[in-house]
Amino acid sequence: MAAEALTRIYRRDYSPPNFAIETVDLTFVLDPEETLVRARLAMTRTSETTDLALDGEELTLRSVKLDGDEVPADRFEATPDRLLVRNVPDRFTLETEVVVHPRANTKLMGLYQSNGNYCTQCEAEGFRRMTYFLDRPDVMARYTTRIEADRDACPVLLSNGNRIEAGELPGGRHFVEWRDPFPKPSYLFALVAGNLACERDTFTTMSGRNVALEIWVEPQNADKCAHAMRSLKAAMKWDEDTYGLEYDLDIYMIVAVDDFNMGAMENKGLNVFNSKYVLAKPTTATDDDYEGIEGVVAHEYFHNWTGNRVTCRDWFQLTLKEGLTVYRDQEFSSDMTSRPVQRIKDVTRLRSAQFAEDAGPLAHPIRPESYIEMNNFYTATVYEKGAEVVRLYETLLGKEGFRKGLRNYLQKHDGAAVTCDDFREAMGSANGVDFTELERWYQQAGTPVVRGRGAWDAEQKEYRLTLSQSQREFPEQDPPKPLPIPIRVGLLAQDGSEILGSERTLVLRDSEEEFVFKSVNEAPVLSAARGFSAPIKLDIERTPEELAFLLAHDTDSFSRWEAGQDLAQRVLLELTGRGDDKTWPSLDSRLVDAFRDVLRDPELDGSIKSLTLTLPSEERLAQAIEEVDPTAVHRAREFATSSLADALRTDWEATYERHAEGPDLIEKSEIDRRRLKNRALRYLVALGRPELIVLAKQQFDESTTMTEYEGAFVALVDTDTPEADAAIEAFHERWKGEPLVLDKWFRMQAMSTASRAFDRVVSLASHPDFTLSNPNRARSLLYAFAMGNPVNFHRADGAGYRFVVDQVLELDAINPQVASRVVSSFNQWKRYEPKRQALMHGELERIAAHPGLSKDVAEIVGQALR
């Protein structure tokens, strides 16, 4: 499919629906080969249009009735993708019967099967794959759903809302009926049926109502639900305490399925989750997995208000629900774990994914102006940058002002489908603030660059800080206007103490402004963008000595970490610039000394230490280089790693020994211990000494938690040693029956930088346990390799590119949504040195010329080639 032949949809063309749907009555007669779906829609005409056009996709129509009568053939037109009924009355009931094919549905959109269980995924436009419908978020209706199935194959039948009836049917079949009392758009519909086990609990809301909580999983996974249940109850309590938001149904259900395109889905009262974000016990899930599950469970629960009760008018407003809810889950995770650690992790994710997106051909505002395939706009920009834009309101209003504004937004628009403008207006009106300028954050793509220079006037005892902002210009957009950018700063005295009264939030509104700090009695050191107060790139004039000083003394944990990253990045970029020069200098002593100080600091917890002692990633370094040579970047980082390992070996060994033993508990002190222990091990293994390789193998063999097991495996798999080969074989043999753990096995090998790693990756694509039909498995090998292994993906001979494209073309015929995510690894091709540019361009052209290409992949490739 040629990119130029694809239909582009524009936000400016939005118009309200021509019809409203009051109630939807659905009946699913489940069968793996041919499921019959009956739909009864009570509809009202809301415009002058008399012809009803409904969306469909790959549907087979059996019958269509209008007010109980069969519609004559000359009065309707039906294709697999559209149903048109001519000359309908003002109010009417439309009934349709269609057939769909769950077992053959490898796209995993609409109704499909996962391990024999039935499941639906309707966001963004999957409902039309089950029945003809006005499949758009501003059409909201009340749903009643009847599910009929073979009792032995599907003893459990679930849908949205409250269960109202159940009974037996002839032939060993049974039925269950569900009714959702709240109007919802079609994308929030859910159905799950199959052989599932249930973890049950209850939650008493702040008004005293008892809510039944149920987590449904495959029977063999029943022992892995406890953490997800605790996370759900914690999220419900946090939302009540923080925002006064109470759950509104009698039951809240979560279902975990292995085959799922996304992380999870917030369907009203029945959340469908990728099993990765539900199943956990210490032997199979890492500490990061536990925190990830807690965050995702909370995210989907929080959508009940910010997404379900108040939803999007159209898909251009996606960040209205996703950016806001990501912000909410970040705040929840900060309160549940460690605020500084969570902030560092959130910003790291933003920079690695979203900053790269902003710098590439698919850069777009958090509220896009157009799209071809909606699934391609579930992006880091919409989610992660969207969350940072929401955070701007909290920074400007304070926590209480933000809470007041959010409550106003939810009360004002409860039960409605609204826009980003409605959110901005509600936040402003609740606090008596004009937020008109903030709309620019929704309109303009690209990452703003803020430059700063400071000067201390000894005579006036003043410190003057000049800030300026600039933004990338895009051919199809108006010239960018200055953004309102809050920047939290502080000043440190030469003894490392905070200068009293110096911390403040500056708001840069113009292209350039000067800010004056009075009563500054000595030359200060500037601490800027504390807490990462806006999604910007900051370019402040600071010497390496000042960065080392901030790393040692800054009172803001995020800025302290940031200073270390900036110092390390300067050192690494200087090494990268040496190219093929084999006469490496010794590593900058300032970096070595700074790392030593952090390692020995008794005040820092293990998680903060581990993050601070992690060098900037190759992806982050590449973002700072105009013409990227991935080999040079990798060589520089490897040299710095081994140099730090060698210079601080005694400290690394002492740290490892001090943190080697502890209980297998999922609590902060033990998580901190394990993270620092694994960080020390990575540095020690980087020395390549036989006795240290044996140390890693010993940890691998003796570990009782997946965190320590995986930590040792990651260290080993980066080496070309017999111990690594033995660990690879032992890992598979032990965990081949656990799909989520086996995903880790594929992923860690896919990201290995060992000399034989690429050959391993190619062979893994033919491994009996590898399949392209499962999104988790496909991502664990292909996405992890293409996005997380720069030195091997960007091989100078182009073999990494050819391998990924071969897999993408095969995957596109199975699941276009996952294929489009993998092919996005080529988006930055213009930033690489000429030889690699040519190789990547050639592979993009090969994809574009492939017959039968999905519009998901065609859009990504077409944009990249522009």
Side-chain angles (χ1 to χ4, degrees):
M1 180 182 292
E4 60 271 14
L6 300 172
T7 302
R8 182 164 289 276
I9 300 168
Y10 293 90
R11 185 172 73 93
R12 64 173 180 258
D13 294 335
Y14 170 83
S15 60
N18 293 318
F19 296 86
I21 304 177
E22 296 171 8
T23 60
V24 179
D25 292 275
L26 297 169
T27 298
F28 290 81
V29 183
L30 296 179
D31 179 88
E33 306 302 333
E34 291 193 349
T35 287
L36 181 68
V37 183
R38 301 189 187 98
R40 188 174 187 272
L41 313 180
M43 305 189 71
T44 303
R45 193 155 56 86
T46 57
S47 71
E48 298 299 316
T49 302
T50 58
D51 292 349
L52 171 66
L54 300 180
D55 303 304
E57 189 174 326
E58 298 182 13
L59 300 178
T60 302
L61 180 66
R62 287 281 182 86
S63 70
V64 54
K65 294 180 180 178
L66 189 66
D67 291 330
D69 297 326
E70 293 282 348
V71 180
D74 62 353
R75 197 176 163 189
F76 77 92
E77 295 176 13
T79 69
D81 299 335
R82 186 171 184 263
L83 174 64
L84 177 69
V85 182
R86 299 186 183 88
N87 196 27
V88 297
D90 291 345
R91 294 179 64 85
F92 60 94
T93 299
L94 184 77
E95 298 174 74
T96 59
E97 284 192 5
V98 303
V99 171
V100 297
H101 310 281
R103 183 173 288 168
N105 183 4
T106 63
K107 292 181 179 179
L108 310 185
M109 291 292 289
L111 178 68
Y112 65 92
Q113 279 196 305
S114 172
N115 293 340
N117 297 314
Y118 295 87
C119 180
T120 61
Q121 170 57 26
C122 296
E123 188 178 355
E125 297 174 337
F127 193 82
R128 66 187 64 186
R129 293 175 59 81
M130 299 186 297
T131 189
Y132 292 105
F133 204 75
L134 289 175
D135 192 12
R136 45 188 288 170
D138 56 353
V139 175
M140 302 175 70
R142 288 182 170 84
Y143 286 66
T144 301
T145 304
R146 177 185 172 100
I147 311 168
E148 301 178 6
D150 180 88
R151 177 176 281 282
D152 290 338
C154 297
V156 176
L157 305 175
L158 307 175
S159 191
N160 310 84
N162 298 314
R163 178 171 155 155
I164 58 172
E165 191 176 352
E168 301 299 317
L169 296 170
R173 296 175 68 81
H174 69 136
F175 76 92
V176 176
E177 289 189 9
W178 296 82
R179 181 171 297 152
D180 189 344
F182 294 97
K184 66 173 179 281
S186 54
Y187 82 85
L188 290 174
F189 174 82
L191 176 153
V192 174
N195 181 22
L196 301 167
C198 185
E199 169 93 0
R200 290 183 168 87
D201 206 332
T202 60
F203 179 81
T204 303
T205 69
M206 60 186 184
S207 67
R209 289 189 307 106
N210 285 325
V211 178
L213 307 180
E214 297 180 353
I215 298 180
W216 295 88
V217 297
E218 292 180 33
Q220 70 272 19
N221 294 321
D223 63 337
K224 301 173 189 154
C225 302
H227 177 65
M229 184 65 81
R230 286 193 298 269
S231 300
L232 174 58
K233 295 176 75 172
M236 297 176 81
K237 181 70 165 59
W238 184 89
D239 220 19
E240 289 185 346
D241 292 345
T242 307
Y243 295 113
L245 299 176
E246 182 177 349
Y247 186 61
D248 51 9
L249 289 173
D250 298 332
I251 187 170
Y252 189 92
M253 296 174 286
I254 288 174
V255 180
V257 296
D258 283 345
D259 301 288
F260 203 66
N261 284 337
M262 300 181 178
M265 179 62 213
E266 71 267 19
N267 320 292
K268 182 72 179 183
L270 176 59
N271 291 181
V272 180
F273 273 62
N274 188 318
S275 55
K276 175 181 179 180
Y277 292 108
V278 172
L279 307 180
K281 59 182 181 180
T283 53
T284 62
T286 66
D287 296 333
D288 286 341
D289 292 333
Y290 270 82
E291 290 181 358
I293 288 167
E294 186 174 60
V296 173
V297 167
H299 180 96
E300 304 310 328
Y301 173 75
F302 295 154
H303 265 313
N304 186 63
W305 280 94
T306 52
N308 296 5
R309 288 284 289 260
V310 181
T311 195
C312 302
R313 185 195 70 178
D314 55 74
W315 289 120
F316 297 103
Q317 319 295 331
L318 180 61
T319 199
L320 176 70
K321 75 181 185 77
E322 295 300 347
L324 175 55
T325 306
V326 168
Y327 165 80
R328 275 157 49 71
D329 81 53
Q330 290 176 351
E331 286 296 290
F332 166 78
S333 294
S334 295
D335 287 343
M336 295 299 108
T337 55
S338 161
R339 184 163 289 273
V341 170
Q342 184 64 36
R343 193 67 186 129
I344 291 168
K345 288 166 64 175
D346 292 339
V347 173
T348 299
R349 185 164 52 247
L350 176 83
R351 284 173 170 161
S352 63
Q354 197 280 319
F355 279 18
E357 202 165 81
D358 259 350
L362 269 72
H364 56 276
I366 64 169
R367 183 186 61 195
E369 294 300 322
S370 69
Y371 63 82
I372 292 172
E373 170 51 58
M374 183 54 218
N375 286 326
N376 285 337
F377 271 104
Y378 285 78
T379 63
T381 297
V382 167
Y383 279 67
E384 310 300 337
K385 185 176 180 179
E388 295 301 322
V389 171
V390 170
R391 191 175 294 277
L392 296 180
Y393 292 93
E394 191 262 344
T395 301
L396 295 169
L397 294 172
K399 287 193 177 297
E400 187 51 42
F402 183 87
R403 184 185 191 277
K404 185 178 176 183
L406 182 62
R407 294 282 300 177
N408 183 45
Y409 165 71
L410 295 173
Q411 291 166 2
K412 198 171 187 178
H413 300 293
D414 192 8
V418 298
T419 68
C420 297
D421 297 329
D422 293 316
F423 177 78
R424 194 176 63 255
E425 188 280 329
M427 295 297 288
S429 63
N431 289 280
V433 177
D434 183 356
F435 278 137
T436 302
E437 284 184 332
L438 276 182
E439 185 176 14
R440 296 175 189 174
W441 281 101
Y442 295 84
Q443 296 171 324
Q444 297 177 187
T447 305
V449 177
V450 174
R451 293 180 172 84
R453 62 184 186 277
W456 178 61
D457 186 328
E459 186 175 327
Q460 297 295 323
K461 306 297 185 186
E462 291 180 346
Y463 179 78
R464 297 178 178 273
L465 177 62
T466 301
L467 297 175
S468 64
Q469 61 172 293
S470 62
Q471 298 168 64
R472 175 184 170 192
E473 293 196 19
F474 295 87
E476 298 176 2
Q477 294 183 22
D478 295 333
K481 297 177 180 178
L483 294 163
I485 302 176
I487 303 172
R488 193 158 63 89
V489 303
L491 300 177
L492 298 183
Q494 294 300 314
D495 63 359
S497 63
E498 183 105 6
I499 294 177
L500 188 64
S502 67
E503 180 169 282
R504 64 182 72 170
T505 299
L506 312 176
V507 182
L508 175 63
R509 289 189 166 87
D510 295 326
S511 298
E512 182 172 299
E513 292 185 61
E514 183 181 71
F515 301 90
V516 180
F517 297 74
K518 296 184 180 296
S519 302
V520 180
N521 297 320
E522 60 179 299
V525 177
L526 175 69
S527 168
R530 289 181 161 183
F532 196 72
S533 47
I536 59 172
K537 290 181 179 179
L538 189 64
D539 182 6
I540 297 284
E541 295 177 356
R542 286 185 291 203
T543 66
E545 289 76 15
E546 287 176 319
L547 291 173
F549 178 86
L550 290 167
L551 176 57
H553 299 292
D554 203 325
T555 54
D556 182 85
S557 297
F558 176 85
S559 294
R560 190 173 183 179
W561 169 81
E562 180 84 306
Q565 291 289 291
D566 287 347
L567 177 60
Q569 179 167 306
R570 289 193 191 188
V571 173
L572 290 167
L573 290 177
E574 184 179 342
L575 292 172
T576 300
R578 299 179 71 92
D580 294 327
D581 185 355
K582 299 298 190 295
T583 59
W584 291 94
S586 59
L587 192 65
D588 192 316
S589 62
R590 290 169 296 199
L591 183 61
V592 176
D593 293 341
F595 268 49
R596 180 184 292 109
D597 290 343
V598 169
L599 199 48
R600 295 179 179 179
D601 190 335
E603 301 299 320
L604 295 178
D605 68 44
S607 292
I608 287 286
K609 281 188 178 182
S610 178
L611 288 167
T612 306
L613 296 168
T614 304
L615 290 170
S617 68
E618 291 173 33
E619 295 89 340
R620 177 171 176 177
L621 295 171
Q623 289 181 21
I625 300 172
E626 201 163 305
E627 189 176 277
V628 183
D629 177 351
T631 304
V633 172
H634 177 70
R635 187 187 299 121
R637 194 175 187 276
E638 289 289 284
F639 171 75
T641 300
S642 59
S643 297
L644 286 166
D646 186 53
L648 302 176
R649 177 174 176 173
T650 301
D651 289 283
W652 294 124
E653 289 178 328
T655 298
Y656 184 84
E657 291 171 8
R658 192 162 55 249
H659 295 83
E661 301 294 334
D664 300 343
L665 299 176
I666 307 300
E667 59 182 34
K668 185 180 184 308
S669 61
E670 290 307 308
I671 292 171
D672 291 343
R673 177 186 66 80
R674 288 188 288 265
R675 281 178 175 156
L676 188 53
K677 173 187 175 182
N678 281 337
R679 180 60 54 206
L681 183 66
R682 289 295 299 274
Y683 275 103
L684 290 171
V685 170
L687 289 170
R689 306 287 176 82
E691 70 274 16
L692 298 175
I693 304 295
V694 169
L695 178 66
K697 183 61 164 61
Q698 181 180 345
Q699 176 175 316
F700 177 80
D701 291 336
E702 297 176 358
S703 292
T704 55
T705 69
M706 181 53 65
T707 300
E708 292 174 313
Y709 189 83
E710 181 181 288
F713 187 76
V714 167
L716 286 168
V717 83
D718 268 351
T719 68
D720 289 307
T721 61
E723 288 83 358
D725 295 336
I728 290 171
E729 185 176 342
F731 194 123
H732 181 267
E733 182 61 29
R734 180 177 177 184
W735 297 110
K736 58 188 176 184
E738 289 276 358
L740 294 179
V741 182
L742 205 55
D743 288 339
K744 297 174 184 292
W745 184 74
F746 279 96
R747 176 177 54 80
M748 288 182 279
Q749 292 181 79
M751 297 175 70
S752 167
T753 60
S755 61
R756 290 182 288 149
F758 177 66
D759 292 335
R760 278 199 195 119
V761 169
V762 173
S763 66
L764 284 171
S766 301
H767 193 280
D769 288 322
F770 182 73
T771 175
L772 290 172
S773 63
N774 176 263
N776 285 353
R777 191 57 48 84
R779 285 188 288 256
S780 70
L781 183 66
L782 303 181
Y783 190 82
F785 173 72
M787 300 297 283
N789 194 341
V791 70
N792 281 310
F793 176 60
H794 294 288
R795 285 166 55 103
D797 62 2
Y801 306 146
R802 290 191 294 274
F803 165 74
V804 170
V805 170
D806 288 344
Q807 295 294 318
V808 162
L809 292 176
E810 187 177 347
L811 178 58
D812 189 43
I814 299 168
N815 191 324
Q817 195 173 144
V818 178
S820 70
R821 298 293 191 272
V822 177
V823 82
S824 65
S825 57
F826 286 84
N827 288 349
Q828 302 286 320
W829 66 275
K830 293 179 182 178
R831 299 188 58 249
Y832 290 87
E833 51 80 24
K835 182 179 177 182
R836 287 180 172 87
Q837 270 195 36
L839 290 167
M840 295 178 84
H841 182 266
E843 293 302 319
L844 285 168
E845 292 280 13
R846 177 157 75 100
I847 299 171
H850 187 75
L853 200 64
S854 71
K855 67 177 183 178
D856 305 62
V857 171
E859 179 181 23
I860 298 292
V861 171
Q863 291 283 94
L865 286 171
R866 289 200 318 176

